[in-house]
């Protein structure tokens, strides 16, 4: 009886934690690139006509 596990969650937490630590920096870089692209598009396409009128 002592060899049976009550839950699989303790065995899952460490690998998930390691995966998160490895993937968060890459995800942050990708998100930064997307945000920069959207802001650049807004600035160049949407605000450009407004800036020309002023």
């Amino acid at each position: 009886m002592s060899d049976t596990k009550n839950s699989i969650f303790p065995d899952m937490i460490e690998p998930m934690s390691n995966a998160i630590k490895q993937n968060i920096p890459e995800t942050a870089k990708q998100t930064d690139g997307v945000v920069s692209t959207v802001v650049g598009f807004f600035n160049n396409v949407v605000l450009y006509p407004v800036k020309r009128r002023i």
Side-chain angles (χ1 to χ4, degrees):
M1 219 39 173
S2 63
D3 291 336
T4 60
K5 295 182 179 181
N6 293 336
S7 176
I8 64 168
F9 291 116
D11 293 337
M12 291 174 50
I13 291 174
E14 187 174 347
M16 289 174 60
S17 174
N18 292 337
I20 289 171
K21 287 178 187 175
Q22 291 172 355
N23 290 324
I24 289 293
E26 183 62 33
T27 304
K29 288 177 190 174
Q30 291 173 354
T31 303
D32 183 40
V34 170
V35 170
S36 297
T37 302
V38 170
V39 169
F41 173 80
F42 184 78
N43 190 27
N44 292 331
V45 174
V46 177
L47 291 181
Y48 181 75
V50 174
K51 290 178 184 178
R52 287 215 20 126
R53 290 212 178 231
I54 295 178

